[in-house]
Amino acid sequence: MIAKVIVDVPTNQTDRPFDYEIPEKFISIIEPGMRVIVPFGPRKIQGFIVSVEEQSELKSLKKIIDVLDITPVLNEELINVGFWLTDKTLCFAISAFQVMLPAALKVKVQKDIVVNAGRENDLPEQIANKFSSGKSLPWDELMNDKEDIALIKQLLKKDIVTVRYNVKDRKQEKTVIFITPAISLEKLREEVKKLDRAKKQQEILQYFIEGGEETTVIQLCDRLGTTRSTIKALVNKQLLIEKEVEVYRDPFQEREFTKSNPLPLTTEQAKVLEPILTSIEDKKHETFLLHGVTGSGKTEVYLQAIDKVLRDGKEAIVLVPEISLTPQMVLRFKGRFGSKVAVFHSGLSQGEKYDEWRKIHRGEVKVVVGARSAVFAPFTNIGIIIIDEEHESSYKQEDNPRYHARDVAIFRGDIHQCPVVLGSATPSLESFARAKKGVYHLLSIAERVNETAMPEVDIVDMREELRQGNRSMFSEALLEKLKDRIAKKQQSVLFLNRRGFSTFVMCRECGFVVECPHCDLSLTYHRKSHAMKCHYCNFEERVSDLCPSCESEHIRFFGTGTQKVEEELAKVLPGARVLRMDVDTTKRKGAHEKILQAFGDQNADILLGTQMIAKGLDFPNVTLVGILAADTMLHLPDFRAAEKTFQLLTQVSGRAGRHKLLGEVVIQSYTPEHYSIQYASKHDYLGFYDAEMQMRYRLGYPPYYFVTLITVSHPNVVKAANVCEKIVSYLNNNLSDKSILLGPVVSPIARIKDRYRYQCMIKYKVESNLVSSLREIVKHYNKDIHNDRLQISIDLNPYMLM
DNA sequence: AGCACGCCGACT
DNA sequence: GTCGGCGTGCTC
């Protein structure tokens, strides 16, 4: 029996299965999807078994060294999903497997130097003392000394020492130690008498004699006011025993969930739920696009569909964008389905993620709520996959494997023959176009649940404000309304799509702009740390008072960030209580929740924030939403700029007036006539869709064309340009003449982390040998990628064009 | 990725 | 002559 193994060496040449002999002792336990340790060259590494076969075409095989799992970590379906990903995103099979599993399941390889038996006395003195503790020495401890390395190499040759590969599993189950009596209670009573000099020990035994149940060490210490050492003494006397019990790290341990029941549905909700239930009933794969305005109660539809799935004994996956994975969101699911829910988000530690994964793997939960990667949940009987806010770009992973969770969901939905529900108030153009074509089943909800009207939207032309002499960042209208809300004790939300204090710092004398020395980007000023920061490479420097170029004093801040707005607010509305929420104020664990809690408790009048306040917030007392600069994203070099602007404006506007009080929205813009702003102000998705589709048609972008972006980067500009140039000409010769090739051009961000970047774009409708051509390119440059710091990144269907 | 193998220049 | 520099190619 042999096993085909994908080894953990992410390179082009090793991106294929390797054959290994299965030793006798493993034959009965080995299955595809298990992790194994295999010899690879002189090393020992991790690998995944992808299949087990009778024999190999090769004559001599090495043997599998060890098996790391009792049950496969990847089931047959997920192995297939892995290979499918490999093909769809041009990634290595090993990367595909690893992205589907929690990081804790990736082993760590450590190299040790071991003294051979009987050769201890042959060690030279200078090194012998390093071996003092035991007979092995971690390789890393020698790495800083060149002489040592040379010496060890000699010793290796002389067979005095050998290198041992230590493979350690990172995964670690959390355990708690329980204490119970080791002997019967009668005997314990006798023993107590003998301990008349150890009062604390007697107390502990007395606790058990009086029928105290087994508890953890910590609880025992707590209850009896004793210490660990006292308990240990009794354990040593063999009167008590320690029992190690495995527990889950539960991030929601201390929270109580009030049980919620299904809410009565509105006519519209019931109407969209119907076909989803039918699809579950018929065990048929179908993709639904649920288009429901903000506040239309999409979540309740999801909950009731999941309920049906659970009653059928199946499982459900719910994806939500990372930023809306707030405790409130989790609460809704845990409230309805209790302990059957696992939650995945980036805030969990490695161990916590592993525990949540294990609950799914063991079948202890039936529902998973999580961000992008939760789409790989190892369920075996999926009944529904839901993607909320399906237009969100965070569903696309921006490093390898560059997959889109939506594609994975639909692929898995097909395997499991279950419905996939894509929900959004502002569906992506791609999805809506597919729904219109009948590829997806379109479902719409036009009314808000409590029949509140959509908020009134007021667009303010900031150019006009300037002409009127208002140079502040708040228009007259917005300021008046803010004052009005404070007077009425109602709350407002202010949205600005930019953190920090100001966008860039420029010298008014000579025009010098402070830029990052490693990236071709201007640095952003952060007031609190009084530093200039690069948002791409984290470069940081102190602010200078003089222009670094001409030493003029006229160095000024331009643009606006959340920090600056906060300061301005304090000036124009001195009494207002403002809460700021952005990456900088929510870094600490739980900070996010705290801010929202404070706002919900009416401890502030104004919530000021970036992206992260755009989603899911639902505060009844919010009646005003102000969008300070609606056009910040509009002029980015991205064909989705208008779409993203429309989506964001609509999402943010949706935060206002969700309950009894009518809401109002003020949009400040320098280009108020732009169709994305106009349609957003009228809450007109369909109008926007039509206008944007015309634009995409004219310019040849998705959904009319598929797009692939190739970015070439290298520390040397010429090299980067040359390679990109050659790639374009290769593609020109190999792709059909119906496809359009753009480039090579300098990337919109010409340099990041000292690497120059060139890119080209392929636009195509059908291109059957695109993937093979791209693989050919990567293969051709393999050597340069390996030895010459060349990078070629290929993104089939990119969401980031910079 | 890592590691061995192998072919050239600068030294005991 | 040999040590060690790095380019090349392989790993079941």
Side-chain angles (χ1 to χ4, degrees):
Chain A
M1 292 287 269
I2 66 117
K4 291 208 175 277
V5 175
I6 297 285
V7 292
D8 185 10
V9 183
T11 61
N12 242 299
Q13 303 138 83
T14 50
D15 187 29
R16 59 189 173 84
F18 285 79
D19 295 357
Y20 286 91
E21 193 189 317
I22 305 174
E24 195 63 40
K25 58 179 171 179
F26 292 143
I27 284 188
S28 58
I29 54 169
I30 261 180
E31 279 179 68
M34 284 179 173
R35 297 172 306 143
V36 286
I37 302 297
V38 290
F40 198 65
R43 303 181 285 158
K44 275 205 283 185
I45 55 169
Q46 182 188 188
F48 289 89
I49 298 181
V50 289
S51 66
V52 175
E53 276 158 40
E54 281 303 321
Q55 54 196 41
S56 166
E57 286 169 12
L58 287 131
K59 278 209 197 81
S60 83
L61 297 179
K62 289 189 182 174
K63 284 183 182 145
I64 288 172
I65 295 171
D66 206 356
V67 183
L68 293 172
D69 304 304
I70 303 161
T71 51
V73 289
L74 295 170
N75 57 38
E76 195 191 338
E77 184 220 341
L78 286 175
I79 294 174
N80 287 335
V81 171
F83 283 121
W84 173 82
L85 266 183
T86 304
D87 210 48
K88 289 289 162 191
T89 68
L90 280 179
C91 70
F92 305 128
I94 189 70
S95 316
F97 292 149
Q98 256 146 18
V99 83
M100 299 194 284
L101 295 170
L105 289 178
K106 191 183 158 141
V107 301
K108 222 162 66 187
V109 182
Q110 201 201 18
K111 265 166 70 179
D112 280 342
I113 299 153
V114 205
V115 185
N116 291 342
R119 301 297 298 266
E120 290 83 356
N121 297 329
D122 298 333
L123 275 184
E125 257 179 58
Q126 59 197 107
I127 201 97
N129 59 340
K130 293 202 177 176
F131 280 92
S132 54
S133 59
K135 293 196 171 55
S136 73
L137 176 67
W139 177 266
D140 296 346
E141 274 181 33
L142 291 171
M143 277 321 278
N144 29 24
D145 196 333
K146 279 214 162 183
E147 275 180 38
D148 280 353
I149 295 176
L151 183 61
I152 291 291
K153 278 192 178 163
Q154 283 177 9
L155 296 177
L156 277 168
K157 263 190 194 158
K158 289 189 203 154
D159 228 13
I160 296 169
V161 297
T162 29
V163 175
R164 186 178 61 191
Y165 289 84
N166 224 340
V167 190
K168 265 199 212 121
D169 218 336
R170 232 177 273 246
K171 70 171 188 199
Q172 203 160 39
E173 284 78 23
K174 187 178 173 182
T175 56
V176 165
I177 296 178
F178 276 83
I179 303 291
T180 48
I183 49 177
S184 72
L185 294 184
E186 284 100 67
K187 283 196 176 166
L188 216 52
R189 278 195 199 98
E190 286 170 27
E191 293 292 335
V192 174
K193 291 167 197 154
K194 295 184 198 163
L195 292 169
D196 56 339
R197 288 192 54 217
K199 218 157 164 257
K200 282 287 178 191
Q201 294 187 18
Q202 279 184 326
E203 277 174 32
I204 296 168
L205 293 185
Q206 204 59 43
Y207 164 82
F208 285 109
I209 290 167
E210 283 162 17
E213 56 189 36
E214 59 172 56
T215 41
T216 64
V217 176
I218 302 157
Q219 282 176 336
L220 202 57
C221 293
D222 231 39
R223 197 168 308 173
L224 303 176
T226 179
T227 58
R228 215 169 294 158
S229 60
T230 324
I231 299 170
K232 198 82 196 166
L234 287 165
V235 173
N236 288 341
K237 285 178 190 159
Q238 301 193 332
L239 299 176
L240 296 180
I241 34 172
E242 292 177 325
K243 263 202 311 194
E244 215 175 7
V245 178
E246 194 190 308
V247 295
Y248 287 126
R249 289 154 264 229
D250 187 356
F252 291 95
Q253 205 168 31
E254 267 125 64
R255 215 177 298 267
E256 291 209 355
F257 298 101
T258 34
K259 185 95 182 110
S260 81
N261 290 313
L263 305 171
L265 297 182
T266 64
T267 338
E268 278 193 312
Q269 281 175 319
K271 223 173 79 195
V272 299
L273 181 59
E274 178 76 35
I276 300 174
L277 295 181
T278 310
S279 171
I280 297 168
E281 189 72 36
D282 297 349
K283 301 177 181 61
K284 218 175 106 234
H285 167 63
E286 200 172 347
T287 304
F288 295 94
L289 177 62
L290 174 52
H291 175 214
V293 295
T294 51
S296 61
K298 292 187 287 291
T299 312
E300 188 57 35
V301 175
Y302 304 154
L303 289 171
Q304 299 200 12
I306 295 168
D307 194 54
K308 158 82 178 154
V309 165
L310 296 187
R311 276 187 277 120
D312 285 2
K314 295 188 174 186
E315 301 128 1
I317 295 176
V318 185
L319 301 189
V320 291
E322 183 70 57
I323 37 173
S324 47
L325 244 180
T326 53
Q328 290 108 303
M329 185 77 182
V330 174
L331 215 82
R332 285 196 77 174
F333 285 86
K334 288 230 176 187
R336 192 69 59 88
F337 306 116
S339 57
K340 284 189 217 137
V341 184
V343 180
F344 266 107
H345 66 270
S346 64
L348 301 181
S349 71
Q350 190 180 288
E352 286 168 341
K353 279 182 192 156
Y354 173 56
D355 282 355
E356 293 296 298
W357 181 86
R358 231 155 16 114
K359 287 184 202 165
I360 304 167
H361 190 230
R362 292 177 169 182
E364 293 170 4
V365 294
K366 296 289 171 197
V367 181
V368 58
V369 181
R372 185 178 57 227
S373 65
V375 78
F376 299 115
F379 284 135
T380 50
N381 193 10
I382 300 174
I384 194 168
I385 304 176
I386 293 162
I387 303 187
D388 191 29
E389 312 275 4
E390 71 80 41
H391 63 276
E392 263 293 307
S393 55
S394 66
Y395 287 127
K396 170 70 192 287
Q397 175 144 80
E398 283 304 337
D399 42 44
N400 281 331
R402 299 175 180 270
Y403 70 94
H404 198 298
R406 191 200 293 139
D407 302 331
V408 181
I410 293 171
F411 184 70
R412 294 194 78 185
D414 191 34
I415 295 175
H416 290 267
Q417 285 299 298
C418 73
V420 172
V421 179
L422 311 175
S424 176
T426 52
S428 63
L429 250 67
E430 283 100 323
S431 292
F432 202 78
R434 272 183 209 142
K436 277 195 128 183
K437 258 175 77 181
V439 182
Y440 299 164
H441 186 151
L442 182 64
L443 306 168
S444 306
I445 310 181
E447 294 274 323
R448 289 179 142 187
V449 175
N450 35 21
E451 287 170 357
T452 42
M454 295 305 285
E456 188 88 11
V457 181
D458 186 5
I459 304 177
V460 180
D461 186 341
M462 290 305 275
R463 293 168 303 188
E464 194 56 41
E465 290 285 316
L466 199 63
R467 261 176 245 135
Q468 305 290 325
N470 177 7
R471 304 183 64 187
S472 97
M473 58 185 81
F474 308 108
S475 59
E476 275 304 314
L478 181 57
L479 200 58
E480 278 317 305
K481 284 181 177 148
L482 280 171
K483 283 180 185 160
D484 173 63
R485 297 309 130 113
I486 293 172
K488 284 186 189 156
K489 298 223 180 304
Q490 292 176 0
Q491 291 176 298
S492 309
V493 168
L494 285 183
F495 175 82
L496 182 70
N497 199 10
R498 189 180 288 133
R499 66 192 175 107
F501 193 81
S502 64
T503 40
F504 61 103
V505 173
M506 187 171 87
C507 171
R508 300 178 81 157
E509 202 90 356
C510 69
F512 177 84
V513 175
V514 183
E515 287 184 344
C516 174
H518 307 290
C519 311
D520 281 354
L521 285 167
S522 49
L523 294 176
T524 304
Y525 175 57
H526 284 240
R527 182 59 173 267
K528 205 163 186 177
S529 48
H530 198 61
M532 303 294 297
K533 283 185 188 172
C534 174
H535 287 187
Y536 273 78
C537 72
N538 287 326
F539 171 82
E540 208 178 316
E541 70 178 15
R542 305 264 320 149
V543 187
S544 60
D545 302 323
L546 299 178
C547 169
S549 173
C550 69
E551 303 195 341
S552 147
E553 287 172 22
H554 297 279
I555 186 154
R556 291 287 179 278
F557 303 119
F558 287 83
T560 313
T562 42
Q563 286 183 39
K564 189 168 175 186
V565 176
E566 191 181 20
E567 276 195 22
E568 285 295 305
L569 271 176
K571 277 184 211 153
V572 293
L573 296 169
R577 297 165 302 164
V578 181
L579 275 172
R580 179 162 65 92
M581 188 156 135
D582 56 28
V583 205
D584 301 300
T585 61
T586 52
K587 252 182 225 147
R588 272 199 350 270
K589 214 173 177 175
H592 192 273
E593 202 185 345
K594 240 183 182 162
I595 295 175
L596 292 181
Q597 183 72 43
F599 191 63
D601 292 347
Q602 314 287 315
N603 291 333
D605 305 302
I606 299 170
L607 178 66
L608 163 68
T610 54
Q611 295 276 9
M612 61 179 72
I613 63 167
K615 292 200 170 42
L617 305 194
D618 193 353
F619 296 110
N621 203 26
V622 171
T623 56
L624 175 66
V625 167
I627 297 161
L628 294 172
D631 15 35
T632 41
M633 302 196 301
L634 208 47
H635 309 294
L636 295 175
D638 181 341
F639 66 84
R640 290 192 182 87
E643 185 184 353
K644 285 182 179 163
T645 301
F646 176 83
Q647 286 164 348
L648 199 64
L649 295 184
T650 308
Q651 298 282 344
V652 180
S653 305
R655 299 308 114 216
R658 293 170 69 94
H659 294 259
K660 292 201 184 77
L661 302 165
L662 191 66
E664 230 183 328
V665 178
V666 176
I667 298 179
Q668 301 189 158
S669 167
Y670 287 91
T671 44
E673 66 283 354
H674 193 280
Y675 63 96
S676 63
I677 297 175
Q678 287 295 329
Y679 283 117
S681 76
K682 292 181 207 134
H683 311 288
D684 183 359
Y685 175 80
L686 294 178
F688 172 77
Y689 172 80
D690 287 336
E692 181 67 7
M693 282 296 270
Q694 275 181 39
M695 201 65 96
R696 300 283 178 93
Y697 179 74
R698 267 205 0 249
L699 300 172
Y701 277 114
Y704 293 99
Y705 277 86
F706 292 109
V707 163
T708 288
L709 183 72
I710 304 177
T711 308
V712 177
S713 74
H714 194 273
N716 180 346
V717 208
V718 184
K719 175 85 181 183
N722 273 343
V723 172
C724 198
E725 174 87 54
K726 287 203 183 105
I727 289 174
V728 171
S729 63
Y730 175 84
L731 287 170
N732 251 324
N733 294 329
N734 284 274
L735 297 182
S736 84
D737 44 9
K738 283 202 183 117
S739 300
I740 304 160
L741 260 159
L742 304 176
V745 291
V746 178
S747 166
I749 302 173
R751 189 175 50 133
I752 295 180
K753 294 180 192 167
D754 290 318
R755 306 179 66 91
Y756 291 89
R757 308 166 78 242
Y758 276 76
Q759 57 182 220
C760 66
M761 188 186 271
I762 312 159
K763 300 203 275 188
Y764 57 100
K765 291 197 172 177
V766 235
E767 196 60 79
S768 49
N769 49 6
L770 177 68
V771 169
S772 61
S773 300
L774 294 173
R775 282 196 192 282
E776 207 49 53
I777 290 169
V778 176
K779 212 164 122 195
H780 181 260
Y781 286 105
N782 193 26
K783 217 187 292 172
D784 288 335
I785 292 170
H786 210 90
N787 303 325
D788 194 26
R789 289 171 297 167
L790 177 71
Q791 273 179 19
I792 300 176
S793 93
I794 299 173
D795 196 338
L796 293 127
N797 193 18
Y799 276 70
M800 283 255 306
L801 296 158
M802 307 205 288

